[in-house]
Amino acid sequence: MAAVAVAGAVAAALLLLWPSPVSSEAAAGEGRRLHTLFSVECGNYFDWQAVGLLHSLRKAGQPGGVTRLLSCAPDQLPSYRGLRIGHTLQVPSYSRHPRTGDWYPAINKPAGVVHWLKHSMEANNVDWVVILDADQIVRGPIIPWELGAEKGKPVAAYYGYLKGCDNILAQLHTAHPEFCDKVGGILAMHIDDLRALAPLWLSKTEEVRQDKSHWSTNVTGDIYGMGWISEMYGYSFGAAEVGLRHKINDDIMIYPGYTPRIGIEPLILHYGLPFKVGNWSFSKLEHHDDGIAYDCNRLFPPPPFPREVEMMESDPNVKRGLYLSIECINTLNEGLVLHHASVGCPKPQWSKYLSFLKSRRFSELTKPKYWNSQMIENRNIVQHVASLKEDHKQPKIHTLFSTECTPYFDWQTVGLMHSLRVSRQPGNITRLLSCSDEDLKNYKGHDLAPTHYVPSMNRHPLTGDWYPAINKPAAVLHWISHVETDAEFVVILDADMIMRGPITPWEYGAKLGHPVSTPYEYLIGCDNILAKIHTRNPSACDKVGGVIIMHIDDLRRFAMLWLHKTEEVRADKAHYATNITGDIYSSGWISEMYGYTFAAAELGLHHIIRRDILIYPGYVPVPEVHYKVFHYGLRFGVGNWSFDKADWRNADVVNTCWAKFPEPPDPTTVMTEDQAARERDLLSIACGRALNKALYWHHKRRDCPRPSPVDGASKKFEKVTTFNDLGGGNTEQSFIHNIKQKSHIDVAKLKPIERVAATISSVHRARRLARSSRIWIIAVWAASVAVFLLVISMFFTDRRRSVSRSRVSRSQKAHV
């Protein structure tokens, strides 16, 4: 017993001497008592989230107490299994409003906070409060005063899609719309501010929820138009009402799947959206009824190991985003392991993944991150996120391109992303991915680019019109409404482009009110009745498109009108005719382009039109112009070789190892005395080779199994490979056969490529036959030389043997 007492005393002494991640002054000093809250409902869905959040808070060293506000209806409590998950305060459930009968579970958050303030003794012994969401992983202590919070000035993350702060919604629901801040996600505030705010937070939520006449997307920013984000507006309007001015921090929180800003270490991972790393993906909605918190030793599917992530991406900042994604799910799984052990589950069987979670390597990777207080000044955390540009740097750029979740857009994404990296395009790059919920479940291309997910508008939700091109303005609007950016300019591209150099606003003279774009002369509707019908300023209509460089302030006021004008022109079927629109199909297919030009004219945006940015492969270039973009929207070719993106609409070349397009001719074979035609053909070849090179590096990054090194083919992979290099065959059919036999690829995936290859193989057959004839002539010549040398060698060998035998015979006779 004495030994135990001594050991206990030593342990206590060590704990007292051990340096804490957060100083005692910071954690419990005068006026610095801290408490953390998060709201949940009683069900499996919130239980596993609570396990993950509570574990991450302990691991991060969050000071002060943590309370789970548990909203449970009386009939749910008897069967509820999670009462022991963390320190819990049971609060009445408001999921079904007791007065109106409205089903709106999100209201439990403000209702729970009000209940805590009124009924919990904890609230009387607290100076500062941090409020989180359950679907978050915390990476380091969240300490309000270190983030810059002051009394009357809470700290919060930016929620840019709360556009109701800028329109009639705020005017209706708060006496101070000018104080409405677009915030949420994480809230850090003084307890006195929370006491003043909480009742209004609840009442304003009820008020906005009942205002069904203003639920529409163009008023609230709610993509569903169902009032689902009423609680967020309840907070913003309540805070405005009591005069709180937020310090808005856009770096403290990130969604897994997004790429962090360079040099920023976010403290919160908010896994509210699906995300993916390689072939692994996670979506919390797929685990809505998952009892994983109660299934002993069952974890979420493990993500790739860090060393595997290292091989997936060359861009260090994109790679850092992937590391954050796997850290999120690994921390969640680590929490489940410890939770299962705490409730008496048997010891799990050894696995490589469990060994990793318990390793020193994982402990080092996930050790607490601390907020650099100096960063507050450097990153300009101020009201309304005013962007600050360093004097010695050019304005920041963000590049966007719109796609859908199909194999057709995936290979275009691979080509564009590779070219963006090679061209060293500055700033962040985001793919706007328009996907229906059903398509998203089976989609495999999450890791092809940094992605912002957007609801698909292929089929218009109101009119039922099938028009996928509308996804472009709809996606840009969704992005500008939901994502805060510090970029001053936005570059908008199409997916079917290859970059040959960086596109910057300072090179082409873009400025506020004066976007830069490229000429689209076929938009003849700018000169006739179409413009007069759809814009008040037809004389300001510019025939532009393709590449757009626009100031962020212009884009913010332009995006909604772009979508609206697209819908308007698309609905004007009486003016679809080719002689009015220039659309050769007279189907309204270029309505989105007119939506852009008419919206720009309406707002008085005057484009700087540059003809030296973009060229279509197959067009004759202007001498001595270095075009920055290939736009391969039309068929182009050189000799017997040609390429048309439409031929590859259904071919899954991205997910089929080593699949590529037919290789264009060698540039040295372009023999023409016409210099203009030669330059045209060389540009076409460069575009085709760029696409294949992008696919090659994509397959290599995914660790596709190498085909057998027959005839030195494996060496050719390190250079630019062709269909013929993939196994030594001389036709697309032999390529398909060799891949099936040697690489163990799913044959079903190859069927679309096989069909496409069959349709285009005849175009290249003559060239291949000529090449085969030359190879046979060389082979016969080489064989003849080899036979001749062999005969000569045998003759001289036989001669030397005869001479040798003669000498031996004479020697023997001499000895006799």
Side-chain angles (χ1 to χ4, degrees):
M1 292 297 291
V4 173
V6 171
V10 171
L14 288 173
L15 286 173
L16 288 171
L17 292 171
W18 189 265
S20 173
V22 182
S23 66
S24 58
E25 177 189 356
E30 185 65 28
R32 291 189 170 183
R33 295 169 298 176
L34 178 61
H35 202 88
T36 302
L37 303 174
F38 68 100
S39 174
V40 300
E41 299 160 42
C42 51
N44 291 335
Y45 182 55
F46 281 100
D47 286 354
W48 62 256
Q49 294 179 42
V51 167
L53 176 58
L54 287 166
H55 168 65
S56 71
L57 285 165
R58 287 190 292 268
K59 188 168 184 169
Q62 177 71 1
V66 179
T67 298
R68 179 179 67 142
L69 304 177
L70 178 66
S71 301
C72 248
D75 61 333
Q76 294 176 302
L77 274 173
S79 60
Y80 180 58
R81 298 182 285 177
L83 289 174
R84 295 185 180 180
I85 297 177
H87 174 63
T88 300
L89 176 67
Q90 293 182 41
V91 301
S93 174
Y94 265 58
S95 294
R96 178 75 65 187
H97 197 281
R99 187 179 69 255
T100 65
D102 177 40
W103 177 260
Y104 183 55
I107 201 172
N108 283 313
K109 186 174 182 179
V113 171
V114 169
H115 188 89
W116 179 79
L117 288 168
K118 287 183 178 179
H119 300 284
S120 174
M121 293 299 294
E122 298 162 348
N124 298 324
N125 298 293
V126 169
D127 302 302
W128 293 90
V129 178
V130 172
I131 302 176
L132 302 172
D133 289 336
D135 58 344
Q136 293 177 340
I137 293 294
V138 176
R139 307 177 70 231
I142 302 169
I143 304 171
W145 52 92
E146 290 189 359
L147 297 175
E150 305 173 47
K151 192 172 181 179
K153 296 179 180 179
V155 166
Y158 185 76
Y159 273 12
Y161 54 86
L162 298 179
K163 63 175 63 180
C165 278
D166 303 324
N167 59 35
I168 191 173
L169 199 66
Q171 296 167 14
L172 289 172
H173 295 290
T174 176
H176 299 286
E178 71 278 8
F179 290 164
C180 184
D181 291 327
K182 303 173 183 177
V183 294
I186 180 262
L187 308 169
M189 66 178 66
H190 195 275
I191 187 67
D192 293 345
D193 293 334
L194 186 60
R195 290 187 189 278
L197 165 69
L200 277 171
W201 184 2
L202 177 57
S203 64
K204 290 293 180 183
T205 298
E206 295 172 315
E207 190 180 303
V208 176
R209 180 67 183 171
Q210 292 170 24
D211 185 10
K212 295 185 180 181
S213 61
H214 293 99
W215 277 8
S216 60
T217 302
N218 64 326
V219 175
T220 64
D222 178 1
I223 58 173
Y224 302 106
M226 298 296 292
W228 201 249
I229 58 176
S230 299
E231 174 271 317
M232 299 179 189
Y233 279 115
Y235 176 87
S236 293
F237 294 159
E241 201 79 359
V242 298
L244 298 181
R245 304 307 311 276
H246 291 83
K247 293 186 175 182
I248 305 176
N249 188 316
D250 197 33
D251 293 324
I252 191 172
M253 185 180 81
I254 192 171
Y255 288 88
Y258 283 41
T259 300
R261 292 195 179 104
I262 295 174
I264 295 302
E265 200 66 78
L267 295 184
I268 299 172
L269 305 176
H270 192 175
Y271 55 91
L273 301 173
F275 59 100
K276 183 169 183 176
V277 179
N279 292 321
W280 172 92
S281 64
F282 181 83
S283 172
K284 68 173 188 175
L285 295 178
E286 293 178 356
H287 301 276
H288 198 277
D289 298 315
D290 196 336
I292 194 168
Y294 307 104
D295 294 349
C296 279
N297 302 325
R298 186 165 70 85
L299 306 178
F300 293 113
F305 289 100
R307 64 176 179 274
E308 296 172 325
V309 173
E310 180 70 27
M311 303 298 295
M312 290 181 183
E313 179 57 53
S314 57
D315 186 308
N317 208 43
V318 175
K319 186 185 298 182
R320 202 159 62 91
L322 297 179
Y323 282 135
L324 290 176
S325 294
I326 65 170
E327 179 183 332
C328 176
I329 200 69
N330 284 334
T331 304
L332 189 52
N333 273 340
E334 184 184 35
L336 286 170
V337 170
L338 297 174
H339 171 72
H340 290 155
S342 72
V343 297
C345 287
K347 186 176 180 180
Q349 292 184 349
W350 182 91
S351 71
K352 185 178 179 181
Y353 181 60
L354 276 178
S355 179
F356 169 70
L357 291 182
K358 297 176 182 179
S359 68
R360 181 180 298 179
R361 166 74 169 152
F362 179 65
S363 179
E364 283 292 317
L365 289 172
T366 57
K367 63 184 179 182
K369 311 299 186 293
Y370 299 101
W371 190 254
N372 184 354
S373 58
Q374 188 66 32
M375 194 182 298
I376 297 172
E377 300 173 11
N378 295 340
R379 295 297 299 178
N380 193 32
I381 304 171
V382 296
Q383 298 164 19
H384 299 294
V385 201
S387 297
L388 179 64
K389 178 180 67 177
E390 296 181 36
D391 293 336
H392 66 282
K393 289 187 176 180
Q394 300 285 7
K396 291 185 178 179
I397 306 172
H398 200 120
T399 302
L400 305 175
F401 66 100
S402 174
T403 71
E404 301 163 36
C405 50
T406 64
Y408 180 56
F409 278 101
D410 282 356
W411 64 255
Q412 294 178 41
T413 298
V414 168
L416 178 57
M417 284 302 300
H418 177 74
S419 68
L420 283 163
R421 296 188 191 103
V422 172
S423 67
R424 298 185 180 276
Q425 175 71 1
N428 291 325
I429 300 163
T430 298
R431 172 182 61 161
L432 307 177
L433 183 64
S434 300
C435 242
S436 68
D437 291 340
E438 190 62 32
D439 289 339
L440 199 59
K441 292 178 182 178
N442 302 314
Y443 182 61
K444 301 176 182 178
H446 297 278
D447 62 333
L448 298 180
T451 300
H452 177 75
Y453 295 87
V454 183
S456 174
M457 283 190 65
N458 283 349
R459 180 77 64 189
H460 197 283
L462 298 179
T463 66
D465 177 40
W466 179 263
Y467 182 54
I470 202 173
N471 282 314
K472 185 176 180 180
V476 171
L477 175 61
H478 192 277
W479 179 82
I480 202 73
S481 301
H482 288 73
V483 176
E484 171 62 10
T485 178
D486 60 353
E488 189 173 338
F489 286 89
V490 175
V491 176
I492 302 176
L493 305 172
D494 288 338
D496 57 344
M497 291 180 173
I498 293 293
M499 296 281 287
R500 306 179 68 231
I503 295 177
T504 59
W506 53 87
E507 181 177 357
Y508 296 108
K511 55 187 176 181
L512 185 65
H514 294 275
V516 168
S517 192
T518 53
Y520 272 14
E521 301 292 355
Y522 55 84
L523 297 179
I524 59 176
C526 277
D527 302 327
N528 59 37
I529 191 173
L530 199 65
K532 295 175 183 178
I533 292 174
H534 294 291
T535 176
R536 293 172 295 177
N537 301 311
S539 60
C541 183
D542 293 326
K543 302 173 185 176
V544 293
V547 174
I548 301 162
I549 311 172
M550 184 177 288
H551 194 281
I552 189 68
D553 292 342
D554 288 335
L555 187 61
R556 285 196 174 102
R557 63 194 184 102
F558 169 76
M560 176 67 78
L561 196 57
W562 182 7
L563 176 59
H564 173 67
K565 289 293 181 184
T566 299
E567 293 173 316
E568 189 179 299
V569 176
R570 179 68 180 171
D572 184 10
K573 295 184 179 181
H575 295 97
Y576 273 10
T578 302
N579 64 328
I580 295 177
T581 64
D583 178 1
I584 59 172
Y585 302 106
S586 299
S587 62
W589 200 250
I590 57 176
S591 300
E592 173 272 315
M593 299 179 190
Y594 279 114
Y596 176 89
T597 58
F598 293 161
E602 195 84 357
L603 295 178
L605 299 180
H606 300 288
H607 288 84
I608 301 169
I609 303 176
R610 298 293 298 253
R611 299 178 180 275
D612 56 348
I613 297 177
L614 177 148
I615 188 170
Y616 285 87
Y619 281 34
V620 175
V622 176
E624 299 183 359
V625 172
H626 179 70
Y627 297 96
K628 294 295 184 70
V629 178
F630 287 140
H631 192 180
Y632 56 90
L634 304 173
R635 180 182 291 273
F636 62 98
V638 177
N640 291 325
W641 173 88
S642 67
F643 181 84
D644 188 339
K645 68 174 187 175
D647 289 341
W648 300 85
R649 183 172 291 277
N650 299 313
D652 193 359
V653 294
V654 168
N655 294 309
T656 306
C657 276
W658 304 120
K660 300 187 75 175
F661 303 116
E663 198 72 21
D666 190 305
T668 59
T669 65
V670 177
M671 300 294 182
T672 175
E673 296 180 0
D674 186 341
Q675 185 61 27
R678 175 178 171 78
E679 292 298 323
R680 175 200 65 202
D681 290 350
L682 290 177
L683 289 179
S684 296
I685 291 170
C687 182
R689 297 183 80 180
L691 281 170
N692 272 347
K693 190 171 184 180
L695 283 170
Y696 165 67
W697 286 111
H698 165 75
H699 295 313
K700 187 176 178 68
R701 191 162 51 245
R702 286 204 170 174
D703 290 330
C704 279
R706 285 180 178 272
S708 300
V710 178
D711 298 328
S714 62
K715 297 293 183 184
K716 297 179 184 178
F717 277 106
E718 299 303 328
K719 301 177 182 177
V720 178
T721 120
T722 69
F723 274 106
N724 297 339
D725 294 325
L726 295 172
N730 60 3
T731 68
E732 282 83 357
Q733 295 299 325
S734 67
F735 155 70
I736 298 294
H737 175 76
N738 280 296
I739 288 292
K740 288 177 183 177
Q741 296 298 320
K742 298 174 184 175
S743 300
H744 310 289
I745 304 300
D746 185 358
V747 174
K749 292 181 180 179
L750 289 161
K751 291 298 183 184
I753 301 173
E754 191 169 356
R755 287 195 296 269
V756 172
T759 63
I760 60 177
S761 62
S762 59
V763 177
H764 314 284
R765 187 172 292 118
R767 180 163 56 89
R768 288 197 300 271
L769 286 173
R771 190 189 315 166
S772 299
S773 299
R774 289 195 297 271
I775 291 171
W776 274 109
I777 292 171
I778 294 171
V780 170
W781 178 82
S784 300
V785 171
V787 170
F788 173 75
L789 292 175
L790 180 63
V791 170
I792 293 296
S793 175
M794 291 173 64
F795 173 78
F796 282 107
T797 300
D798 187 63
R799 177 89 173 168
R800 283 195 299 271
R801 286 175 180 172
S802 299
V803 171
S804 177
R805 284 195 300 269
S806 175
R807 289 176 178 172
V808 170
S809 176
R810 286 198 297 270
S811 176
Q812 290 175 344
K813 288 179 181 179
H815 283 289
V816 172

